[in-house]
Amino acid sequence: MQAQSTMNRRNLRMREREVARIPIEAIRPNPYQPRRVFAQEALEELCASIKQYGLLQPISVRKAGNDAYELIAGERRLRACRMAGMTAIDAIVFSAYEQDSAVIAMMENLQRENLHYMEEAEGYQNLIRDHGLSQDELARRLGKNQSTIANKMRILKLPLTVKRMLLQYNLTERHARALLRLHDEEMQIKIVNVIVQQNLNVKATEDLVERTLSRMYGIEAEEPTKTGKISGFVRDTRLFVNSIKTVVRQMSDAGLAPKFDSSESDGGLEIRVWIPHLPAK
């Protein structure tokens, strides 16, 4: 009942708004703006449009003290107005909570094109971390499925070097998800280089990752003997080894980062599987 009352008060506060012309210098940026890259050419085009026709859509801000405001939505418009030499701007002024401001900024950018999947994932992470939201609650506020939020955020588990390469080479979100199956940074970097050099699409990338996992967690079949037959040892143990390899892959997909190693001698085949402990809750 208390939670519902709090939500009602927030909704009431969000409805308390007015349209005003405020000084641009009084507006501070939104720390939860998910978009990090603003194309200069697009800003210049918007600036030229504003000079000719004016600002057609007000920005949104919230009150942040006496004569101070925090941007909620419209950073491109605000930047373009600054470029145009304007000192004041039309704005819808909300009496919004900080958490509401952050969620609105995310929603506004999700409804527009060209928000990079990495920016989107980082935006989700910041909202959850700084405002104590669960994935379920965030998904509900944004009108998305919880699984969508979770899948986006999984990409942030990639090493920083790999994420930078994904951005540098403009690789897709599905390329990034394929790399998640590999838990070795060096191998991920090698795969990215192959993707770029051979211009691999997503399907070819997924096949490459699958082959790489087979080499990392499997064992190579023995060379045929002079009679052209596979040795009896490999034939009799292949099903068992493949079963172990399948389990290791499943653990890898679940994010446990197991390590598989094997060695063969005259006496038999030794298989070693190392599984890290789960972090304490």
Side-chain angles (χ1 to χ4, degrees):
M1 191 69 177
Q2 183 177 359
Q4 183 65 40
S5 176
T6 300
M7 183 174 296
N8 289 337
R9 288 198 301 271
R10 286 186 177 179
N11 291 337
L12 178 61
R13 290 284 298 278
M14 284 302 300
R15 287 196 294 268
E16 295 174 2
R17 58 186 180 180
E18 59 179 327
V19 178
R21 190 164 182 82
I22 60 178
I24 287 180
E25 64 179 14
I27 304 171
R28 70 188 190 194
N30 189 324
Y32 296 99
Q33 160 66 259
R35 192 181 298 276
R36 295 289 179 257
V37 179
F38 294 85
Q40 185 64 24
E41 183 178 352
L43 280 175
E44 291 173 355
E45 291 177 357
L46 181 56
C47 175
S49 174
I50 289 173
K51 284 181 177 180
Q52 184 171 0
Y53 302 108
L55 182 64
L56 301 181
Q57 181 183 359
I59 63 172
S60 299
V61 299
R62 76 180 182 95
K63 292 180 180 179
N66 294 330
D67 300 322
Y69 305 88
E70 180 180 282
L71 184 67
I72 294 179
E75 184 159 345
R76 286 182 67 253
R77 282 165 278 161
L78 180 61
R79 292 187 179 207
C81 286
R82 282 200 182 104
M83 290 176 63
M86 296 170 57
T87 58
I89 188 171
D90 291 334
I92 301 173
V93 182
F94 289 88
S95 298
Y97 284 87
E98 181 180 1
Q99 187 180 102
D100 297 318
S101 173
V103 173
I104 293 171
M106 172 63 76
M107 290 177 64
E108 200 258 1
N109 278 277
L110 289 176
Q111 291 170 359
R112 298 178 181 272
E113 297 179 354
N114 300 326
L115 181 63
H116 195 275
Y117 61 85
M118 205 75 74
E119 293 174 326
E120 185 177 348
E122 289 174 351
Y124 294 152
Q125 183 183 65
N126 292 337
L127 287 171
I128 289 173
R129 180 191 62 212
D130 296 344
H131 296 292
L133 298 174
S134 66
Q135 288 187 5
D136 283 334
E137 184 176 2
L138 179 60
R140 186 171 63 253
R141 290 187 179 213
L142 295 176
K144 290 183 172 291
N145 293 326
Q146 184 273 335
S147 59
T148 300
I149 303 291
N151 286 332
K152 292 280 186 182
M153 292 182 61
R154 284 183 64 233
I155 295 173
L156 299 180
K157 295 180 180 180
L158 291 169
L160 180 59
T161 303
V162 177
K163 288 188 286 189
R164 286 175 175 170
M165 294 178 73
L166 290 168
L167 291 170
Q168 177 184 353
Y169 297 117
N170 197 30
L171 298 180
T172 70
E173 181 177 350
R174 290 184 61 192
H175 282 105
R177 290 187 185 183
L179 293 172
L180 284 168
R181 297 192 63 197
L182 300 165
H183 299 282
D184 180 89
E185 181 176 355
E186 182 179 353
M187 186 59 66
Q188 289 170 339
I189 292 173
K190 289 181 179 179
I191 294 295
V192 171
N193 286 327
V194 173
I195 294 171
V196 174
Q197 291 166 7
Q198 300 184 16
N199 193 27
L200 298 183
N201 61 23
V202 173
K203 180 62 169 63
T205 298
E206 291 171 344
D207 291 342
L208 175 60
V209 169
E210 183 67 29
R211 293 195 301 272
T212 302
L213 285 170
S214 295
R215 290 195 299 270
M216 292 174 66
Y217 299 132
I219 62 171
E220 298 293 332
E222 292 185 8
E223 293 294 327
T225 62
K226 293 182 179 179
T227 62
K229 297 179 180 179
I230 301 298
S231 70
F233 172 77
V234 172
R235 185 181 65 245
D236 293 340
T237 60
R238 175 61 65 183
L239 181 60
F240 174 68
V241 171
N242 283 344
S243 297
I244 296 177
K245 183 170 63 174
T246 297
V247 172
V248 171
R249 285 185 187 174
Q250 290 172 346
M251 289 188 291
S252 177
D253 289 344
L256 296 179
K259 293 183 179 178
F260 180 99
D261 191 21
S262 64
S263 60
E264 185 180 342
S265 64
D266 293 338
L269 174 68
E270 180 179 359
I271 297 175
R272 295 176 294 278
V273 178
W274 179 83
I275 305 172
H277 292 298
L278 292 174
K281 295 184 178 179

